[in-house]
Amino acid sequence: MKIAILFGGLSFEHEISIVSSIAMKDILKDELIYLYIDGKRDIYEIPTQKINSKLFSSGEYRKFDRAYFKKGGFYKISGLFKKEQSIDFDVVLNLSHGGDGEDGILSSILDFYNIPFIAPRTEACVVSSNKFITKGYAKSVDVNVLDYKYYTKNDDIKVDMFPVIVKPVKLGSSIGVAIVKSKEELDYSLDVAFEFDDAIIIEPFISGVKEYNLAGTKVNGEFIFSIIEEPQKAEFLDFDKKYLDFSRTSKAKEVDLGDKLNQEIKESFKRLYNTLFEGSIIRCDFFVVDEKVYLNEINSIPGSMANYLFTDFEELFKKVALTLPKRKEIAINYEYVNKIQVAKGK
Amino acid sequence: MKIAILFGGLSFEHEISIVSSIAMKDILKDELIYLYIDGKRDIYEIPTQKINSKLFSSGEYRKFDRAYFKKGGFYKISGLFKKEQSIDFDVVLNLSHGGDGEDGILSSILDFYNIPFIAPRTEACVVSSNKFITKGYAKSVDVNVLDYKYYTKNDDIKVDMFPVIVKPVKLGSSIGVAIVKSKEELDYSLDVAFEFDDAIIIEPFISGVKEYNLAGTKVNGEFIFSIIEEPQKAEFLDFDKKYLDFSRTSKAKEVDLGDKLNQEIKESFKRLYNTLFEGSIIRCDFFVVDEKVYLNEINSIPGSMANYLFTDFEELFKKVALTLPKRKEIAINYEYVNKIQVAKGK
């Protein structure tokens, strides 16, 4: 199988996407091709053997072929005669974290051009990338969420109890997120959060809360789960920790929470994944408070695809690639327009 | 102002989009150009003076220039020398009803290629086009919705109380919708609904419920509302009624529900529109039951843009076109990737 890794994009997580994509070289033994979307949303085909992080920061990537979307795939103008060529691959892995990749932009484009891809479809992207919409959705599928308040830029924001956690609604990887311990710290953290987004949510911050991650997918109607991991936590993710998270390839350690909680986490995952997330491999991060499971967030395109949580990620990847959801067929037969013509006597 | 009307698309409401778009000739006095997306998602530039419904059913549209998306706009290969030309316009009006237009696909593409457009952005499209997600969102912004059950294709579906209304989650214009009066009718109506979608919602059907429509938009932070209309209702929309609805250009009659209800409908609209729907003109359909306002649905691209509800639609349209939301600027500076290189000693 030939896999096209589509990464980068107009996103605050652009660089994390580069790290995550380079890691895939060690994770997938298949033939890979790399399609990089730069900050101007120009697309370049980067030869796999040339991939390294310096290529991007130096701007050197611009010397490679420009690619573009077209029905059925990606194309480039290349070769001696500057002719249009289609770029050969079997499936796209959308590895653009944050904006473009996770907010539904790329999924929409891939869908429009009828390009097979692994990632949530547009609706699932929106539901998981906007934390406010996630909360409403989780409640609708009977999954617990922590209390929260939603604010947009010009709202009057009142916080009575501290500590709280302030989050821009649309960013992942802890960008713009702050734990606020007192009224004095609030204004600054709001300024930071609104720097990244026009809307935020504020949640109570529960110190030392237990977090558990579960990744999974659905193949032919059956769920396939990873192990459950209790991730290492730091109050803030520093540079090293974040780098390690997105370039992670070595297997994680399974945690056993007992039958009841293990089961509750898996059932919550199933209700969230539902039919909406078909075609994707996602990681759900849960809190456990007083033996009750709460959704923290849905990572619709997790760092390095959460490969480290699965026993055989490559096999799983192939299964998903071979059972991607199909769009409903829509026959356009102009029956209705014909009736109008008859009605009008045209 | 030169307006590009983007219509059609891979949608069960393809033909309604044709009707709606043709109606715009009578509504907007500006220079219009027409970009038609056919059932294969090929795009054609149709000369405005040639527009009529027969052009589409006869397949004649295929003789016009093929257009395609590209950064900043639409392009075509045209003229004697078969050179690439950009198609000139100031703003796109996305008038593709249902799939592609209202589900976020086209908004994503327009956003990716940095093309100014009037329509909800991707997130707002998803929130309004999927009735299940709409319900969760409405609750999150404290707007009442009728009770409902959500089912996907292989669920065990039990209904105890009749009549109910069965709706595919993703379709508008009453397609696939059925009022079910008894257990005997249920199976057939489920078959029909699942014909159009993999997920449905079932609501109690309230006979003779009062429905009120309000359209509106936000310009520079201020809401601009249409009149409130009590639409004519038939138990089912028949062909003539539907045609009239989507080609409607003559002014509607205002209904006065008294200060309290008028206000409650407007407040509900504001909470739904919020910041999420900026850049769009939408119509919200409400029910009033026992003096309480409930959201029925959000029409994110209403038939003929709900022009008939506004006193001066043209002026409103221009205001929206001139104050479209801007994306947050994202500077990609490779700071993080540079740190990795330093850390690795590269």
Side-chain angles (χ1 to χ4, degrees):
Chain A
M1 188 176 290
K2 198 165 176 180
I3 302 160
I5 297 186
L6 183 64
F7 69 113
L10 191 54
S11 163
F12 288 108
E13 287 158 81
H14 184 99
E15 298 183 75
I16 287 168
S17 169
I18 294 175
V19 173
S20 210
S21 299
I22 294 175
M24 296 318 283
K25 276 211 289 190
D26 296 326
I27 298 161
L28 293 171
K29 299 286 167 287
D30 294 88
E31 190 179 347
L32 303 182
I33 69 160
Y34 280 93
L35 295 167
Y36 173 61
I37 307 174
D38 76 359
K40 292 177 174 165
R41 285 171 163 165
D42 291 327
I43 309 174
Y44 295 86
E45 188 193 12
I46 315 287
T48 305
Q49 66 283 11
K50 295 271 170 73
I51 275 277
N52 74 68
S53 59
K54 205 174 165 184
L55 199 66
F56 304 102
S57 51
S58 66
E60 248 189 290
Y61 67 85
R62 289 194 203 93
K63 73 180 186 202
F64 297 112
D65 285 335
R66 281 279 291 277
Y68 47 92
F69 287 101
K70 206 175 155 174
K71 202 193 272 189
F74 290 86
Y75 285 73
K76 59 182 177 185
I77 307 288
S78 186
L80 207 57
F81 300 102
K82 299 277 169 218
K83 280 198 81 168
E84 181 173 81
Q85 295 175 21
S86 89
I87 296 175
D88 178 44
F89 62 86
D90 297 301
V91 68
V92 165
L93 172 62
N94 170 2
L95 249 186
S96 161
H97 299 299
D100 281 353
E102 285 183 280
D103 63 8
I105 300 279
L106 290 178
S107 292
S108 295
I109 299 173
L110 291 162
D111 184 329
F112 187 81
Y113 290 111
N114 207 15
I115 303 169
F117 67 100
I118 294 187
R121 316 291 112 170
T122 308
E123 289 186 328
C125 283
V126 166
V127 160
S128 48
S129 68
N130 181 313
K131 293 180 175 67
F132 179 58
I133 300 172
T134 308
K135 294 267 191 187
Y137 173 74
K139 286 183 182 178
S140 298
V141 294
D142 290 321
V143 170
N144 307 314
V145 292
L146 295 182
D147 279 342
Y148 67 99
K149 292 273 181 190
Y150 173 69
Y151 297 103
T152 56
K153 208 150 194 174
N154 300 312
D155 289 344
D156 184 24
I157 300 177
K158 274 185 216 136
V159 176
D160 300 319
M161 300 261 284
F162 291 92
V164 292
I165 184 157
V166 174
K167 302 175 175 176
V169 286
K170 265 198 305 276
L171 291 173
S173 313
S174 307
I175 296 171
V177 170
I179 296 158
V180 180
K181 290 172 182 158
S182 67
K183 240 179 183 110
E184 291 67 45
E185 293 173 25
L186 187 63
D187 282 353
Y188 176 73
S189 69
L190 292 176
D191 284 350
V192 172
F194 281 123
E195 188 77 17
F196 292 103
D197 209 326
D198 292 331
I200 60 162
I201 56 171
I202 300 184
E203 291 176 347
F205 175 70
I206 307 169
S207 175
V209 66
K210 292 283 187 185
E211 188 184 322
Y212 302 100
N213 299 347
L214 172 67
T217 187
K218 207 202 254 180
V219 172
N220 292 327
E222 298 292 326
F223 280 95
I224 303 177
F225 288 118
S226 75
I227 59 163
I228 297 173
E229 185 196 25
E230 183 178 354
Q232 276 189 288
K233 286 226 296 192
E235 200 178 85
F236 285 93
L237 289 174
D238 63 11
F239 163 72
D240 288 337
K241 174 78 174 65
K242 206 190 259 179
Y243 172 66
L244 287 171
D245 255 34
F246 281 83
S247 61
R248 206 172 157 189
T249 55
S250 60
K251 296 287 164 237
K253 197 169 140 255
E254 181 161 15
V255 65
D256 184 1
L257 301 169
D259 276 359
K260 190 180 152 285
L261 279 179
N262 287 344
Q263 213 45 42
E264 212 173 306
I265 285 176
K266 285 178 184 167
E267 287 303 321
S268 299
F269 185 108
K270 283 185 186 176
R271 288 201 293 277
L272 292 164
Y273 194 101
N274 207 296
T275 53
L276 204 67
F277 283 86
E278 283 171 9
S280 69
I281 302 165
I282 65 174
R283 197 188 79 213
C284 291
D285 299 349
F286 297 100
F287 292 140
V288 173
V289 183
D290 298 334
E291 299 286 294
K292 207 171 148 184
V293 173
Y294 295 81
L295 175 69
N296 176 25
E297 55 181 31
I298 304 172
N299 290 285
S300 67
I301 303 178
S304 66
M305 291 305 289
N307 74 90
Y308 52 86
L309 294 176
F310 292 98
T311 319
D312 190 342
F313 179 78
E314 270 210 280
E315 196 201 324
L316 178 87
F317 185 94
K318 261 177 208 146
K319 280 186 185 166
V320 177
L322 296 172
T323 57
L324 291 173
K326 300 262 175 291
R327 273 220 156 212
K328 287 243 167 217
E329 295 247 344
I330 300 179
I332 290 163
N333 54 21
Y334 302 97
E335 201 181 311
Y336 177 66
V337 164
N338 286 330
K339 271 193 211 164
I340 298 172
Q341 284 151 26
V342 172
K344 283 183 164 177
K346 275 191 185 165
Chain B
M1 186 176 289
K2 198 166 174 179
I3 303 160
I5 296 185
L6 182 64
F7 67 113
L10 191 54
S11 164
F12 288 110
E13 286 158 82
H14 184 98
E15 298 182 75
I16 287 168
S17 170
I18 294 175
V19 173
S20 210
S21 299
I22 294 175
M24 296 318 282
K25 277 211 290 189
D26 296 326
I27 298 161
L28 294 171
K29 300 288 168 286
D30 294 88
E31 190 179 347
L32 303 182
I33 69 160
Y34 280 93
L35 296 167
Y36 172 61
I37 307 174
D38 76 359
K40 292 177 173 163
R41 284 170 164 165
D42 290 327
I43 308 174
Y44 295 85
E45 188 194 14
I46 314 287
T48 305
Q49 68 281 12
K50 295 272 171 71
I51 276 278
N52 74 67
S53 59
K54 203 174 168 184
L55 199 66
F56 304 102
S57 52
S58 66
E60 248 189 291
Y61 67 85
R62 288 195 204 93
K63 73 180 186 204
F64 296 112
D65 284 335
R66 280 279 290 276
Y68 48 92
F69 287 100
K70 206 175 155 175
K71 204 194 271 188
F74 290 86
Y75 285 73
K76 60 181 176 184
I77 306 288
S78 185
L80 207 57
F81 300 103
K82 299 277 167 219
K83 282 198 81 168
E84 181 174 82
Q85 296 175 21
S86 90
I87 296 175
D88 179 44
F89 62 86
D90 298 300
V91 67
V92 165
L93 171 62
N94 170 1
L95 250 185
S96 159
H97 299 300
D100 281 353
E102 284 183 282
D103 63 8
I105 300 279
L106 290 177
S107 292
S108 295
I109 299 173
L110 292 163
D111 184 329
F112 187 81
Y113 290 111
N114 207 17
I115 303 169
F117 67 100
I118 294 187
R121 317 291 112 170
T122 308
E123 288 186 326
C125 284
V126 166
V127 160
S128 47
S129 68
N130 181 313
K131 294 180 175 67
F132 179 58
I133 300 172
T134 308
K135 295 267 190 188
Y137 173 74
K139 286 183 183 179
S140 297
V141 293
D142 290 323
V143 169
N144 307 314
V145 292
L146 295 181
D147 280 341
Y148 66 100
K149 293 274 181 190
Y150 173 68
Y151 297 104
T152 56
K153 206 146 193 176
N154 300 311
D155 289 344
D156 185 24
I157 300 176
K158 273 184 215 136
V159 176
D160 299 319
M161 298 261 284
F162 290 92
V164 291
I165 183 157
V166 174
K167 302 174 175 177
V169 286
K170 264 198 304 278
L171 291 174
S173 314
S174 307
I175 297 170
V177 170
I179 296 160
V180 180
K181 291 174 181 156
S182 67
K183 241 180 182 109
E184 291 67 45
E185 292 174 24
L186 187 63
D187 282 352
Y188 176 72
S189 69
L190 292 175
D191 283 351
V192 171
F194 281 123
E195 188 78 18
F196 291 102
D197 209 326
D198 293 330
I200 60 162
I201 56 171
I202 300 183
E203 291 176 348
F205 176 70
I206 307 171
S207 176
V209 66
K210 291 282 184 186
E211 189 184 322
Y212 301 101
N213 299 348
L214 173 68
T217 186
K218 208 203 254 178
V219 172
N220 291 325
E222 298 292 325
F223 281 95
I224 302 176
F225 289 119
S226 75
I227 59 162
I228 297 174
E229 185 197 24
E230 182 178 352
Q232 276 189 288
K233 286 227 296 194
E235 199 176 88
F236 284 93
L237 288 174
D238 62 12
F239 162 71
D240 288 337
K241 175 76 175 65
K242 207 191 260 180
Y243 172 65
L244 287 172
D245 255 31
F246 281 84
S247 61
R248 206 172 156 189
T249 56
S250 58
K251 295 288 164 233
K253 196 168 141 259
E254 182 163 14
V255 66
D256 184 2
L257 301 169
D259 276 0
K260 191 181 151 285
L261 279 179
N262 286 345
Q263 215 44 43
E264 211 174 307
I265 285 176
K266 284 179 184 167
E267 286 304 319
S268 299
F269 185 107
K270 283 184 184 177
R271 289 202 292 277
L272 292 163
Y273 194 100
N274 207 295
T275 54
L276 204 68
F277 282 87
E278 283 173 9
S280 69
I281 302 165
I282 65 174
R283 196 189 79 212
C284 291
D285 300 349
F286 297 99
F287 290 141
V288 173
V289 183
D290 296 334
E291 299 287 294
K292 209 172 147 185
V293 173
Y294 295 81
L295 175 69
N296 176 24
E297 58 182 29
I298 304 172
N299 290 286
S300 67
I301 302 179
S304 65
M305 292 305 289
N307 73 90
Y308 51 85
L309 295 177
F310 292 99
T311 320
D312 191 342
F313 180 77
E314 270 210 282
E315 196 202 325
L316 178 88
F317 185 92
K318 261 178 208 146
K319 281 186 183 164
V320 177
L322 295 171
T323 57
L324 291 173
K326 300 263 174 291
R327 272 219 156 213
K328 286 242 166 221
E329 295 247 344
I330 300 179
I332 289 161
N333 53 22
Y334 303 98
E335 202 182 310
Y336 177 66
V337 163
N338 286 329
K339 270 193 212 164
I340 298 172
Q341 284 150 27
V342 172
K344 282 184 164 176
K346 273 189 186 166

